[in-house]
Amino acid sequence: MMIIETDRLTKSYNGRGGCRGITLQVPEGCIFGLLGPNGAGKSTFVKMLAGLHRPDSGRASVLGLPLGRPEARRQLGYLPELFRFQDWLTPEEVLRFHGQLGGLRPQETHSQDFRLRIRDSLELVGLSDAAERRVGGFSKGMQQRLGLAAALLLDPKLVILDEPASALDPIGRYEIRSLLKRLQGRGVTVFLNTHLLEDVEELCDEAAFLYEGELLASGPLRELLSGTGDNWRFRVGGWLPETLSELNDSSGNALLRLIDSDESGNAHLSARVTDREQAGYLCSLFIRSGLTLYESGPEPNNLEAWFLQMVKSRQGGIPQ
Ligand code: ADP
């Protein structure tokens, strides 16, 4: 089942900006990454999904219901890009307040059940030890985790997170990533707005790419990346200066590039290959040529190549 489906969804601000004609499907249970540079229209798009912006035209359904339905909103957790909690509140008070924003009566948010729910949410995001502290003393990472706890408080089936990790240091980002994986393990669908390519590469099953308000591509990450080919790296021993031209003469269309080599004959090489079989062929070629193969594997930055290729196809040149 598709948990989000949009059909030519469009929203501009007095005829400018926003996003245009976005047709997208998000399968239930996946981690979906909406990528694009700043100003691409990502926040505008998710605000429409969360019911905060009314589209100018187009249609969409979230959790099988048309946009803006309260029944769908109740099953949806949303973490906006820029939020701040009142400094003087404790996490428990923040979450109680969010329970009320989610439609609970004040006395319900003081019930034993709800207290347990608050405790679970804080535990899920790793804030149990800070439950009694004031939010004003929290680091950015802790505030972001509290934002996530608020988005997860009412057990949503779908969470929409707008740049959840952009203000965080590497440890904070690592923590958010592992939390999102845990959520997926619990059956929650995660829709992630981000310009952090590593997050998408590591987390997402599917992705879409927005640029200047338009959708340039969407689908399973593997399929999106398959068109770009893979960069493969090799580390070999027994290298001689003439080896490169000998190898390239017999390697077909995979052009090997020497990254570096040293006097004892160790070398790093890189090649653009169409699939794993071609990388395997290169490995056998090294061995047949008398080299020692120490290591081989894909380079991790294929998404970056794809991203640049997308932008280039729109601009007619790689951005400087
Ligand atoms: P992203 O989330 O990808 O950075 P946004 O959806 O925030 O992109 O913005 C897309 C475009 O719409 C930008 O050109 C931005 O300036 C414009 N925009 C966004 N929000 C508003 C607004 N409230 N009023 C006017 N223009 C806006």
Side-chain angles (χ1 to χ4, degrees):
M1 180 195 138
M2 294 299 158
I3 202 154
I4 297 173
E5 275 187 283
T6 71
D7 177 19
R8 287 163 291 167
L9 209 59
T10 298
K11 155 90 191 155
S12 69
Y13 304 92
N14 295 319
R16 303 175 65 180
C19 56
R20 293 180 298 285
I22 311 294
T23 299
L24 198 71
Q25 279 110 33
V26 178
E28 188 171 8
C30 75
I31 303 187
F32 191 99
L34 183 61
L35 268 171
N38 288 333
K42 304 182 298 294
S43 294
T44 304
F45 182 71
V46 295
K47 281 179 185 163
M48 287 191 276
L49 298 181
L52 298 172
H53 275 339
R54 196 186 284 271
D56 297 339
S57 61
R59 283 177 303 149
S61 71
V62 174
L63 291 137
L65 293 162
L67 273 190
R69 285 280 186 86
E71 305 94 287
R73 276 202 222 173
R74 245 173 254 134
Q75 303 175 67
L76 182 138
Y78 172 60
L79 178 70
E81 185 179 9
L82 298 168
F83 64 87
R84 274 201 70 91
F85 299 119
Q86 279 81 1
D87 285 353
W88 59 88
L89 295 179
T90 64
E92 213 176 289
E93 288 164 338
V94 167
L95 295 184
R96 198 169 292 135
F97 176 59
H98 274 262
Q100 290 174 30
L101 289 177
L104 298 178
R105 288 192 305 270
Q107 61 269 37
E108 284 177 287
T109 65
H110 287 274
S111 68
Q112 184 61 17
D113 267 6
F114 198 73
R115 283 209 184 114
L116 284 177
R117 190 179 279 260
I118 289 179
R119 215 181 60 191
D120 286 350
S121 304
L122 291 176
E123 197 177 315
L124 188 65
V125 299
L127 283 179
S128 300
D129 292 346
E132 313 285 311
R133 283 168 54 186
R134 307 245 165 240
V135 173
F138 277 19
S139 67
K140 275 194 189 136
M142 291 167 83
Q143 299 222 11
Q144 201 73 352
R145 280 189 274 152
L146 181 55
L148 271 171
L152 299 172
L153 183 68
L154 299 176
D155 253 341
K157 284 198 178 140
L158 165 68
V159 284
I160 297 180
L161 311 171
D162 200 349
E163 302 280 5
S166 54
L168 302 182
D169 61 18
I171 296 174
R173 279 163 56 186
Y174 171 80
E175 286 172 354
I176 298 281
R177 279 186 203 161
S178 32
L179 172 61
L180 297 185
K181 283 188 197 153
R182 267 186 285 144
L183 282 182
Q184 185 184 32
R186 291 176 164 212
V188 177
T189 309
V190 179
F191 188 101
L192 188 66
N193 252 9
T194 183
H195 60 263
L196 299 172
L197 301 179
E198 318 88 87
D199 283 357
V200 173
E201 202 150 39
E202 187 166 315
L203 281 174
C204 294
D205 311 293
E206 302 226 357
F209 183 77
L210 276 193
Y211 186 70
E212 292 184 346
E214 285 180 37
L215 182 72
L216 298 193
S218 74
L221 200 57
R222 285 194 135 266
E223 280 175 27
L224 293 175
L225 296 179
S226 65
T228 60
D230 284 340
N231 267 329
W232 215 267
R233 271 219 177 202
F234 308 92
R235 195 162 68 82
V236 296
W239 188 258
L240 296 168
E242 62 272 21
T243 316
L244 187 64
S245 53
E246 285 170 18
L247 286 173
N248 269 333
D249 283 347
S250 36
S251 69
N253 54 11
L255 196 64
L256 280 161
R257 213 159 46 86
L258 180 67
I259 311 281
D260 58 48
S261 62
D262 64 22
E263 285 169 0
S264 15
N266 295 311
H268 272 114
L269 296 149
S270 156
R272 195 137 189 88
V273 298
T274 47
D275 49 33
R276 283 175 177 260
E277 282 69 31
Q278 201 177 14
Y281 167 74
L282 286 174
C283 291
S284 67
L285 187 67
F286 295 144
I287 291 163
R288 268 187 281 134
S289 310
L291 298 169
T292 311
L293 180 63
Y294 293 122
E295 247 176 75
S296 113
E299 280 185 15
N301 64 348
N302 289 320
L303 190 59
E304 189 172 270
W306 179 71
F307 190 93
L308 289 172
Q309 187 178 305
M310 282 288 158
V311 174
K312 187 179 158 195
S313 69
R314 294 299 288 195
Q315 293 185 328
I318 294 270
Q320 296 300 304

